[in-house]
Amino acid sequence: MKKLIISLSAIIFLAISAKAQENPIATISQQPGWCTIIHRWGFIGDSLCSGEHEYKRADGTTVWDDIYEYSWGQRMIAAIGGNAVGYNFSQGGETAKGWIDHFWDYPMNRNADIRAKSPPCQAYIIALGCNDIRTFKAGDAKKDINLEDYTKNADTFAGYYGGIIQRVKELQPGAHFFVVTLPQMYGDKEFSAQVRTMAEIFDKTYVIDFEKYAPDFKAPGNREKYMLMGHLNAAGYQYVAWMFMTYINWIIENNLPAFTDIALLN
């Protein structure tokens, strides 16, 4: 009977452990973990990637400011420390198509017209789509991405999103990409499905599935702590930085052989 009880306990423990592992951010860590092996980061995104805050003027009009030092990307860099640097190739209102114009082809953006072509990075986090849902069709990544010539990609979210990865791969062929599905409070399941497909098409590309696992920051209790009006506050961006580090640590831990040459990039 004693052996049976021990066996049943072991089975229950394994079942609980397996269930916990289904959600990479079930337990949020404030430590960078394996993120420390990446020293040059590129953050590609929109307002949520830019630390955007909004507030009311005395006359009642609303102001939106990209406060990059409070962005989750820069909070990650602060946690990683050491020689780590991160570049915000992002601005409020950005779309996948707009990013190619504003950061790649003709750099005119609110982050001092930063050029995404200039500093090759070891890893890129791509968090786009919240604005695209109002402008473009989601498309079909497996049909809309021309792997031989990205200028022939379809005029869809999937086509432009894939084109971003293709362009960056020309700059840094060995780069790792972390593609982020759209959080439920801002997103669309069809668009998130196309983001997931990127990991099937491109090598060294990993899905950060916030559509599936991220908390709803607009829910009662969360909104008061983590949001201003339609965007996160300083605490919200810091919490998202912890989410990213926890998730990426889990990805690297489960794919360590793919990162053996990370220090040789740049």
Coordinates of all heavy atoms in Angstrom, one line a residue, residues 100 104-105 144-156 159-160 162-164 166-167 170:
I100 N 8.2 49.2 -42.3 CA 9.1 49.1 -43.4 C 9.5 50.4 -44.0 O 10.7 50.7 -44.3 CB 8.6 48.1 -44.5 CG1 8.4 46.7 -44.0 CG2 9.4 48.2 -45.8 CD1 7.7 45.8 -44.9
W104 N 12.9 51.2 -42.0 CA 13.8 50.5 -42.9 C 14.1 51.2 -44.2 O 15.3 51.6 -44.5 CB 13.2 49.1 -43.2 CG 14.2 48.2 -43.9 CD1 14.3 47.9 -45.2 CD2 15.1 47.3 -43.2 NE1 15.3 47.0 -45.4 CE2 15.9 46.6 -44.2 CE3 15.5 47.1 -41.9 CZ2 16.9 45.7 -43.9 CZ3 16.5 46.2 -41.6 CH2 17.2 45.6 -42.6
D105 N 13.1 51.5 -45.0 CA 13.4 52.1 -46.3 C 13.7 53.6 -46.2 O 14.7 54.1 -46.8 CB 12.2 51.9 -47.2 CG 12.0 50.4 -47.7 OD1 13.0 49.7 -47.6 OD2 10.9 50.1 -48.1
D144 N 1.3 34.2 -48.7 CA 1.6 35.6 -48.9 C 3.0 36.0 -48.8 O 3.4 37.1 -49.2 CB 0.8 36.5 -47.9 CG -0.7 36.3 -48.1 OD1 -1.1 35.8 -49.1 OD2 -1.5 36.8 -47.3
I145 N 3.9 35.1 -48.4 CA 5.3 35.4 -48.2 C 6.1 34.7 -49.4 O 6.0 33.5 -49.5 CB 5.8 34.9 -46.9 CG1 5.1 35.7 -45.7 CG2 7.4 35.1 -46.8 CD1 5.5 35.2 -44.3
N146 N 6.7 35.5 -50.2 CA 7.6 35.0 -51.2 C 9.0 34.8 -50.7 O 9.7 35.9 -50.5 CB 7.6 35.9 -52.4 CG 8.3 35.4 -53.7 OD1 9.4 34.8 -53.5 ND2 7.7 35.5 -54.8
L147 N 9.4 33.6 -50.4 CA 10.7 33.4 -49.8 C 11.9 33.8 -50.7 O 13.0 33.9 -50.2 CB 10.8 31.9 -49.3 CG 9.8 31.5 -48.2 CD1 10.0 30.0 -47.9 CD2 10.1 32.4 -47.0
E148 N 11.7 33.9 -52.0 CA 12.7 34.3 -52.9 C 12.9 35.8 -53.1 O 13.9 36.3 -53.4 CB 12.5 33.6 -54.3 CG 12.3 32.1 -54.3 CD 13.5 31.4 -53.7 OE1 14.7 31.9 -54.0 OE2 13.4 30.4 -53.0
D149 N 11.8 36.5 -52.9 CA 11.8 37.9 -53.2 C 10.7 38.6 -52.3 O 9.5 38.6 -52.7 CB 11.5 38.2 -54.7 CG 11.6 39.7 -55.0 OD1 11.8 40.5 -54.1 OD2 11.5 40.0 -56.2
Y150 N 11.1 39.2 -51.2 CA 10.1 39.8 -50.3 C 9.4 41.0 -50.9 O 8.3 41.4 -50.4 CB 10.7 40.2 -49.0 CG 11.9 41.1 -49.0 CD1 11.8 42.4 -49.4 CD2 13.2 40.6 -48.6 CE1 12.9 43.3 -49.4 CE2 14.3 41.4 -48.6 CZ 14.1 42.8 -49.0 OH 15.2 43.6 -49.0
T151 N 9.9 41.6 -52.0 CA 9.2 42.7 -52.6 C 7.9 42.2 -53.3 O 7.1 43.0 -53.7 CB 10.1 43.4 -53.7 OG1 10.4 42.5 -54.7 CG2 11.3 43.9 -53.0
K152 N 7.8 40.9 -53.5 CA 6.6 40.3 -54.1 C 5.6 39.7 -53.0 O 4.7 39.0 -53.4 CB 7.0 39.1 -55.1 CG 7.9 39.7 -56.2 CD 8.3 38.5 -57.2 CE 9.1 39.0 -58.3 NZ 9.5 38.0 -59.2
N153 N 5.9 40.0 -51.8 CA 4.9 39.5 -50.7 C 3.6 40.2 -50.9 O 3.5 41.3 -51.5 CB 5.5 39.9 -49.4 CG 6.6 39.0 -48.9 OD1 7.1 38.1 -49.7 ND2 7.1 39.1 -47.7
A154 N 2.5 39.6 -50.5 CA 1.2 40.1 -50.7 C 1.0 41.3 -49.8 O 1.6 41.5 -48.8 CB 0.2 39.0 -50.3
D155 N 0.0 42.1 -50.1 CA -0.4 43.3 -49.4 C -1.3 43.0 -48.3 O -2.5 43.4 -48.2 CB -1.1 44.3 -50.4 CG -1.4 45.6 -49.7 OD1 -0.7 46.0 -48.7 OD2 -2.3 46.3 -50.2
T156 N -0.8 42.2 -47.3 CA -1.5 41.7 -46.1 C -0.6 41.9 -44.9 O 0.6 42.0 -45.0 CB -2.0 40.2 -46.3 OG1 -0.8 39.4 -46.3 CG2 -2.8 40.0 -47.5
G159 N 2.0 39.2 -45.1 CA 3.0 39.5 -46.1 C 4.0 40.6 -45.7 O 5.2 40.4 -45.9
Y160 N 3.5 41.6 -45.0 CA 4.4 42.7 -44.5 C 5.2 42.2 -43.3 O 6.4 42.5 -43.2 CB 3.6 43.9 -44.2 CG 3.1 44.7 -45.4 CD1 1.8 44.8 -45.6 CD2 4.0 45.2 -46.4 CE1 1.3 45.5 -46.8 CE2 3.6 45.8 -47.5 CZ 2.2 45.9 -47.7 OH 1.7 46.6 -48.8
G162 N 6.1 39.1 -42.6 CA 7.2 38.2 -43.1 C 8.3 39.0 -43.7 O 9.5 38.7 -43.6
G163 N 7.9 40.1 -44.4 CA 8.9 41.0 -45.1 C 9.8 41.6 -44.1 O 11.0 41.9 -44.4
I164 N 9.3 41.9 -42.9 CA 10.2 42.5 -41.9 C 11.3 41.5 -41.5 O 12.5 41.8 -41.5 CB 9.4 42.9 -40.6 CG1 8.5 44.1 -41.0 CG2 10.3 43.2 -39.5 CD1 7.5 44.5 -39.9
Q166 N 12.4 38.9 -43.2 CA 13.2 38.7 -44.4 C 14.3 39.8 -44.5 O 15.4 39.6 -44.8 CB 12.4 38.6 -45.7 CG 11.6 37.3 -45.8 CD 10.6 37.4 -46.9 OE1 9.6 38.1 -46.9 NE2 10.8 36.5 -47.9
R167 N 13.8 41.1 -44.3 CA 14.8 42.2 -44.4 C 15.8 42.1 -43.4 O 17.0 42.3 -43.6 CB 14.0 43.5 -44.4 CG 13.2 43.8 -45.6 CD 12.3 45.0 -45.4 NE 11.7 45.5 -46.6 CZ 10.7 44.9 -47.3 NH1 10.1 43.8 -46.7 NH2 10.2 45.4 -48.4
E170 N 18.6 39.7 -43.9 CA 19.6 40.1 -44.9 C 20.7 40.9 -44.1 O 21.9 40.8 -44.4 CB 19.0 41.1 -45.9 CG 18.3 40.3 -47.0 CD 17.9 41.2 -48.2 OE1 17.9 42.5 -48.0 OE2 17.5 40.7 -49.2

